[in-house]
Amino acid sequence: MTLFQQVLMNEMATVQLGAQLAQSIQAPCVIYLSGPLGAGKSVLVRSMLQALGIQGPIKSPTYALVESYKYSSYSVYHFDFYRFSGENEWEECGFRDYFNENSLCFIEWAEKAVAQLPTADLEISLNYLDNPLKNNDYIGRRISIQAKTQCGAVLLCNLKEI
C-alpha cells in the first residue's frame, strides 16, 4: 500500500492514527505534513511523539521553528516552516545537519523549503471536511498519507482505519 486515506471525525481519531504510525517508526525517517492552519498537523505529530514515550510538553514549533526531543538512540525534530518567506531560510538556519541516520524529522509546511529538504518517506495531508449542514462549520478532517520511499511503505502497511 502506498496511499492511505481516511476521514478522522474528531481529535481522538487523529491521536489514535498518530499512535498507530508511531508503532513502526524508526530513524532515519522524514515526514512532511501539509494542510491549512488548525487542520491537526501538530496534533498528529504530538500523538506520535507521545506514543513513542516522549514525556513532558510537546508544543508546536511555530515560533521556534524547531523543537527537539531525545528518543532511544534517536534525535527527534519537529519543524514548522510556516513563517519562512523563502527557501533560503532553511539553509541559513543550519537545518541540514539535523537530517541524518539517527533522526526522525517531522516537517510542517515543508512546501516552503521543499527544494532544500531531503525526500520525504511519508507525505501527510490533513484538510477540513465541509459540513453540508446549516452554518457551514467544519467537522472532521480528511487525511491522506502517501509513501514516497520503502521506509514510508512499511509505515503504511501497519495502518488500520480508525
Side-chain angles (χ1 to χ4, degrees):
M1 172 190 344
T2 59
L3 179 65
F4 176 89
Q5 294 181 315
Q6 183 177 350
V7 171
L8 304 169
M9 291 309 296
N10 53 41
E11 188 173 321
M12 182 52 69
T14 303
V15 169
Q16 289 172 337
L17 187 64
Q20 276 190 45
L21 275 168
Q23 290 176 2
S24 302
I25 202 165
Q26 57 183 317
C29 187
V30 176
I31 298 176
Y32 295 178
L33 298 105
S34 65
L37 289 171
K41 299 177 296 291
S42 290
V43 170
L44 186 67
V45 173
R46 184 178 303 114
S47 66
M48 285 189 265
L49 298 181
Q50 288 172 335
L52 289 173
I54 293 173
Q55 298 179 354
I58 299 172
K59 55 189 177 184
S60 174
T62 301
Y63 295 101
L65 298 180
V66 64
E67 293 288 339
S68 59
Y69 307 92
K70 198 70 175 154
Y71 167 70
S72 183
S73 60
Y74 304 149
S75 293
V76 179
Y77 301 106
H78 181 190
F79 298 91
D80 187 328
F81 297 152
Y82 177 72
R83 299 193 178 287
F84 272 19
S85 58
E87 289 187 357
N88 291 340
E89 287 185 68
W90 184 83
E91 193 69 51
E92 291 167 4
C93 290
F95 289 145
R96 184 173 305 281
D97 293 339
Y98 287 61
F99 296 84
N100 60 59
E101 293 298 309
N102 295 316
S103 62
L104 303 174
C105 296
F106 301 92
I107 308 163
E108 296 185 39
W109 301 93
E111 61 272 19
K112 295 202 173 206
V114 74
Q116 308 294 322
L117 294 171
T119 302
D121 294 297
L122 286 181
E123 288 183 1
I124 300 174
S125 175
L126 284 149
N127 290 288
Y128 293 109
L129 293 177
D130 287 328
N131 182 352
L133 305 175
K134 298 182 186 175
N135 57 8
N136 205 23
D137 284 339
Y138 289 110
I139 59 167
R141 309 292 192 260
R142 179 178 316 282
I143 190 166
S144 177
I145 307 174
Q146 186 169 22
K148 296 295 193 173
T149 65
Q150 184 60 37
C151 172
V154 168
L155 289 170
L156 283 188
C157 282
N158 296 318
L159 287 183
K160 300 177 194 117
E161 287 201 24
I162 304 292

